[in-house]
Amino acid sequence: MTAEHHDHTTTSRTHRPAIVAVTRHGAVLANRLAGAMTEADVWVSSRFAGFAGHGAHAFDGPVARLVGDLMARHDRLVMICAVGAAVRLIAPHLVDKRADAAVVAVDDGGQFAVCVLSGHIGGGNALTREVADALGAAPVITTASEAHGVPAADLIGRELGWRIEGRHHLTRLAAALVNGEPVGVFQDAGERDWHAGPLPEHVIHFASVEHLLAASPRAAIVITDRVIAGLAGRAGVVVYRPRSLVVGVGCSRGASCDEIGRLVDATLRDAGLSVVSVRAVATVELKRDEPGLVAFARERDIPLRCFSAEQLNAAPGQETPSEVVRAAVGTRGVCEPAALLTAGAGRLLVPKRKSRNVTVAVARTALPFAAASPDDLPVAAGSSTTRAMTGILHVVGIGPGAPEQMTGRAREVLEAADAIVGYGLYLDLLRVWLPHARYHPSPIGDEEARAREALLLTKQLTRVALVGSGDAGIYGLAGLAHEVRDGIDWADQMPPAIDVVPGVTAATAVAALLGAPLGHDFATVSLSDILTPWDTIAGRLEAAAVSDFVLALYNPTSQRRGPRFAAALDILRRVRSPETPVGIVTNAYRDGQSVIITSLGSVEQHPVSMLTTLIIGNSRTRVQHGRMVTPRGYTVNG
Ligand code: SAH
């Protein structure tokens, strides 16, 4: 990393690290460290100066004052002392994470290098690794993105000179990255190797911005030099501007800075390109000192590159040669070949445009990695396929049934899905409000086959939704989807990401219809012994009953498993009194809804089916005005 990457910090500070030692061992370590780092300033307490090398500065007086001075003059500080001591010493000088120096503390034995401050933007993590390497110490880095191996949102492209638009969305993006929430990526310009190693699977590449927005991920990384409509202000969307454009400029003598600026801006705007992505301005040697052009480059803080007439003449790809120009400067063109040569590209993005005294052309830099050519980059929005495309499987809990019991996010995801897979009955519930979706109904039962079908569809489609009732993860398909995905041969394709969209589960849906029976600790038990041995179920049921949990019983019965329900009631009756309130709800929030409040002694008098959920009260559950209520505590009404 070089000093120019730190141009955001107070420029008067030097990037040379300052190393401070106040002990004998510290002085020796400081000396070793200084030997391994290019150009470091070493400060050693004068008592131990003899243990440090020749170049070390000895200091007397309070170390607090020295540290204050060093924080003002250096943007990197290594302190050989306890982390606590370092914290106290730097505390009075802290401003914010974009301005503060990187601070690393090293213990007196040289065992650990601990990043104390400015791990990301200030380069503290990098400094920590450098120090640890030099001393053979263990680097201690505590920023969350490093812990999870995800890119740090505020560092993406930083070393490549990229700029960030939508900074205020960085926090949401950073949180989504470290929390494993879905993050979409779209890139159509700039270096492709902006992250080291593979991205984690919750970070998903999309083939177009439209695909990305439709999938409504929690946050997004958009890397583009284009101005894309509909991005500004989208929550969590951060636009990174790679330095991927080169503007070639030709001008007659005396052309004004203003005229150059106007034509450059208009050219970029009309081509839908961002001026923030301009990496360089290029022209012919003859114009190196042309005042208007020099002023323009300085004003925009963009380097000016100049080429000789011979170099320009030899450049391939020029589209608008001119004999007039040849007569004036000895080449058939300036702006086009200058842009092409600087960009190392074979093709112009925008051929020559003219105003009175100025010509402008734009090229995109060739990508600095072997596999891709500029042709890989779609210039227009919305291309539908690229090699990087990966599908996503949303496992969506649609709630108990009625569309209004579905979450907003579930709705969004289903509306955007390219296909919806699920048990026929649930798909019928969706058809009511989403008639034109592409549905793949499957029979009840073989859930593994259903998960497989949905996963395989992601080979052709970007967004596939696999729906289930209630919550997708509660006795649902979400876990199965993860297992099945690992068993599929994805060949050269990236396996799809799995995004679980939560829903209102049967327990909370039926509880709402009954009153408030889940007001205190509760347990859910599924009586289905298809995937779980009955002994396990019976054991859990008994343990939960003994512990006085309120119980929500899912899958109470089916034609195949009649006797299990009777056995379950026997277990409960051994522990709880026959007066215990019991709620029996069938088809909650669906046609044929039935809500019954009875007691443990009388459950058999009421119908129970596979579309029923039962709630068994605890020892304090009461029926009040026809509603089943479990008190939260022991204060209200005794
Ligand atoms: N994932 C679902 C549960 C699937 S297991 C969820 O979170 O709700 C299937 C069981 O859920 C059924 O046997 C029944 O006990 C319960 N269930 C699902 N929908 C229901 C509804 N609308 N009314 C009552 N119980 C329901």
Side-chain angles (χ1 to χ4, degrees), residues 400 469-471 474-475 505-506 510 554-556 585 587-588 590 610-613:
S469 77
D471 181 89
I474 298 181
Y475 311 122
T505 188
V510 308
Y554 285 65
N555 296 301
V585 181
N587 280 319
R590 295 182 192 159
M610 59 180 289
L611 289 170
T612 306
T613 300

Short mmCIF file of all heavy atoms in Angstrom, two decimals, residues 400 469-471 474-475 505-506 510 554-556 585 587-588 590 610-613, ligand 1:
data_model
loop_
_atom_site.label_atom_id
_atom_site.label_comp_id
_atom_site.label_asym_id
_atom_site.label_seq_id
_atom_site.Cartn_x
_atom_site.Cartn_y
_atom_site.Cartn_z
N PRO A 400 -50.01 -18.93 7.36
CA PRO A 400 -51.04 -19.96 7.49
C PRO A 400 -51.92 -20.09 6.25
O PRO A 400 -52.51 -21.15 6.04
CB PRO A 400 -51.85 -19.51 8.70
CG PRO A 400 -51.58 -18.05 8.83
CD PRO A 400 -50.19 -17.83 8.32
N SER A 469 -45.99 -23.75 3.93
CA SER A 469 -46.91 -23.01 4.79
C SER A 469 -46.18 -22.55 6.05
O SER A 469 -45.12 -23.08 6.40
CB SER A 469 -48.09 -23.89 5.18
OG SER A 469 -47.69 -24.81 6.17
N GLY A 470 -46.74 -21.56 6.69
CA GLY A 470 -46.18 -21.09 7.95
C GLY A 470 -44.80 -20.50 7.76
O GLY A 470 -44.58 -19.67 6.88
N ASP A 471 -43.88 -20.94 8.58
CA ASP A 471 -42.49 -20.52 8.45
C ASP A 471 -41.74 -21.60 7.68
O ASP A 471 -41.93 -22.79 7.92
CB ASP A 471 -41.88 -20.33 9.83
CG ASP A 471 -40.44 -19.87 9.72
OD1 ASP A 471 -40.22 -18.66 9.66
OD2 ASP A 471 -39.54 -20.74 9.66
N ILE A 474 -39.64 -24.03 9.94
CA ILE A 474 -40.23 -24.79 11.06
C ILE A 474 -40.96 -26.01 10.49
O ILE A 474 -41.94 -25.85 9.76
CB ILE A 474 -41.18 -23.90 11.88
CG1 ILE A 474 -40.38 -22.74 12.48
CG2 ILE A 474 -41.88 -24.72 12.97
CD1 ILE A 474 -41.18 -21.79 13.34
N TYR A 475 -40.46 -27.18 10.77
CA TYR A 475 -40.94 -28.43 10.14
C TYR A 475 -41.12 -28.16 8.65
O TYR A 475 -42.13 -28.56 8.05
CB TYR A 475 -42.26 -28.90 10.76
CG TYR A 475 -42.23 -28.94 12.28
CD1 TYR A 475 -43.14 -28.20 13.02
CD2 TYR A 475 -41.29 -29.71 12.95
CE1 TYR A 475 -43.10 -28.23 14.41
CE2 TYR A 475 -41.25 -29.73 14.34
CZ TYR A 475 -42.16 -28.99 15.07
OH TYR A 475 -42.12 -29.01 16.43
N THR A 505 -45.74 -18.71 11.58
CA THR A 505 -45.88 -20.15 11.77
C THR A 505 -47.26 -20.50 12.38
O THR A 505 -47.91 -19.64 12.98
CB THR A 505 -44.74 -20.69 12.65
OG1 THR A 505 -44.79 -22.11 12.65
CG2 THR A 505 -44.84 -20.17 14.07
N ALA A 506 -47.68 -21.76 12.24
CA ALA A 506 -49.00 -22.17 12.72
C ALA A 506 -49.19 -21.86 14.20
O ALA A 506 -50.26 -21.42 14.62
CB ALA A 506 -49.20 -23.67 12.46
N VAL A 510 -52.42 -19.74 15.18
CA VAL A 510 -53.56 -20.28 15.92
C VAL A 510 -53.64 -19.62 17.30
O VAL A 510 -54.73 -19.41 17.83
CB VAL A 510 -53.55 -21.83 16.04
CG1 VAL A 510 -53.40 -22.47 14.68
CG2 VAL A 510 -52.49 -22.33 16.99
N TYR A 554 -47.92 -29.74 16.50
CA TYR A 554 -48.06 -29.74 15.04
C TYR A 554 -48.28 -31.18 14.60
O TYR A 554 -47.91 -32.12 15.29
CB TYR A 554 -46.79 -29.22 14.37
CG TYR A 554 -46.54 -27.72 14.43
CD1 TYR A 554 -46.32 -27.07 15.63
CD2 TYR A 554 -46.48 -26.96 13.26
CE1 TYR A 554 -46.06 -25.71 15.68
CE2 TYR A 554 -46.22 -25.60 13.30
CZ TYR A 554 -46.01 -24.98 14.51
OH TYR A 554 -45.74 -23.64 14.55
N ASN A 555 -48.79 -31.34 13.41
CA ASN A 555 -48.99 -32.67 12.82
C ASN A 555 -49.62 -33.64 13.81
O ASN A 555 -49.08 -34.72 14.07
CB ASN A 555 -47.63 -33.27 12.37
CG ASN A 555 -47.01 -32.46 11.27
OD1 ASN A 555 -47.59 -32.28 10.21
ND2 ASN A 555 -45.81 -31.95 11.52
N PRO A 556 -50.76 -33.27 14.39
CA PRO A 556 -51.30 -34.13 15.45
C PRO A 556 -51.72 -35.49 14.92
O PRO A 556 -51.67 -36.47 15.66
CB PRO A 556 -52.51 -33.35 15.97
CG PRO A 556 -52.90 -32.46 14.84
CD PRO A 556 -51.64 -32.12 14.13
N VAL A 585 -57.28 -25.64 16.75
CA VAL A 585 -57.57 -24.79 15.59
C VAL A 585 -57.25 -25.55 14.31
O VAL A 585 -56.15 -26.07 14.14
CB VAL A 585 -56.78 -23.47 15.63
CG1 VAL A 585 -57.12 -22.60 14.43
CG2 VAL A 585 -57.06 -22.72 16.93
N ASN A 587 -57.36 -25.33 10.04
CA ASN A 587 -57.44 -24.40 8.90
C ASN A 587 -57.44 -22.93 9.33
O ASN A 587 -58.26 -22.14 8.86
CB ASN A 587 -58.69 -24.69 8.06
CG ASN A 587 -58.49 -25.87 7.14
OD1 ASN A 587 -57.41 -26.00 6.54
ND2 ASN A 587 -59.48 -26.72 7.03
N ALA A 588 -56.51 -22.58 10.19
CA ALA A 588 -56.41 -21.18 10.63
C ALA A 588 -56.22 -20.27 9.42
O ALA A 588 -55.41 -20.57 8.53
CB ALA A 588 -55.21 -21.03 11.57
N ARG A 590 -57.83 -19.89 6.84
CA ARG A 590 -58.18 -20.48 5.54
C ARG A 590 -59.67 -20.78 5.55
O ARG A 590 -60.30 -20.79 6.62
CB ARG A 590 -57.47 -21.82 5.32
CG ARG A 590 -55.99 -21.72 5.22
CD ARG A 590 -55.43 -23.11 4.95
NE ARG A 590 -53.98 -23.08 5.12
CZ ARG A 590 -53.24 -24.14 5.34
NH1 ARG A 590 -53.80 -25.33 5.43
NH2 ARG A 590 -51.94 -24.03 5.47
N MET A 610 -55.10 -33.45 10.05
CA MET A 610 -53.73 -33.04 9.74
C MET A 610 -53.64 -31.54 9.47
O MET A 610 -52.55 -31.01 9.29
CB MET A 610 -53.19 -33.84 8.56
CG MET A 610 -54.01 -33.67 7.30
SD MET A 610 -53.36 -34.62 5.93
CE MET A 610 -51.90 -33.71 5.58
N LEU A 611 -54.75 -30.84 9.45
CA LEU A 611 -54.71 -29.39 9.27
C LEU A 611 -55.01 -28.67 10.58
O LEU A 611 -55.45 -27.53 10.60
CB LEU A 611 -55.69 -28.97 8.18
CG LEU A 611 -55.19 -29.40 6.80
CD1 LEU A 611 -56.28 -29.21 5.75
CD2 LEU A 611 -53.94 -28.65 6.40
N THR A 612 -54.78 -29.39 11.69
CA THR A 612 -55.05 -28.83 13.01
C THR A 612 -53.74 -28.57 13.76
O THR A 612 -52.79 -29.34 13.63
CB THR A 612 -55.87 -29.84 13.85
OG1 THR A 612 -57.03 -30.21 13.12
CG2 THR A 612 -56.24 -29.27 15.21
N THR A 613 -53.73 -27.51 14.54
CA THR A 613 -52.67 -27.31 15.53
C THR A 613 -53.34 -27.16 16.89
O THR A 613 -54.37 -26.48 17.00
CB THR A 613 -51.85 -26.05 15.21
OG1 THR A 613 -51.26 -26.23 13.92
CG2 THR A 613 -50.74 -25.81 16.23
N1 SAH B 1 -43.98 -24.85 8.32
C1 SAH B 1 -45.29 -24.93 8.90
C2 SAH B 1 -45.56 -26.25 9.58
C3 SAH B 1 -45.56 -27.42 8.66
S1 SAH B 1 -46.01 -28.92 9.47
C4 SAH B 1 -45.47 -23.79 9.87
O1 SAH B 1 -44.53 -23.11 10.26
O2 SAH B 1 -46.63 -23.54 10.26
C5 SAH B 1 -47.73 -29.03 9.07
C6 SAH B 1 -48.54 -28.77 10.30
O3 SAH B 1 -48.63 -27.37 10.52
C7 SAH B 1 -49.97 -29.21 10.19
O4 SAH B 1 -50.12 -30.59 10.46
C8 SAH B 1 -50.64 -28.36 11.24
O5 SAH B 1 -50.40 -28.90 12.52
C9 SAH B 1 -49.88 -27.07 11.15
N2 SAH B 1 -50.56 -26.07 10.29
C10 SAH B 1 -50.12 -25.55 9.16
N3 SAH B 1 -50.98 -24.64 8.68
C11 SAH B 1 -52.02 -24.60 9.53
C12 SAH B 1 -53.24 -23.85 9.59
N4 SAH B 1 -53.55 -22.95 8.65
N5 SAH B 1 -54.06 -24.05 10.64
C13 SAH B 1 -53.75 -24.93 11.59
N6 SAH B 1 -52.60 -25.65 11.59
C14 SAH B 1 -51.75 -25.50 10.57
#
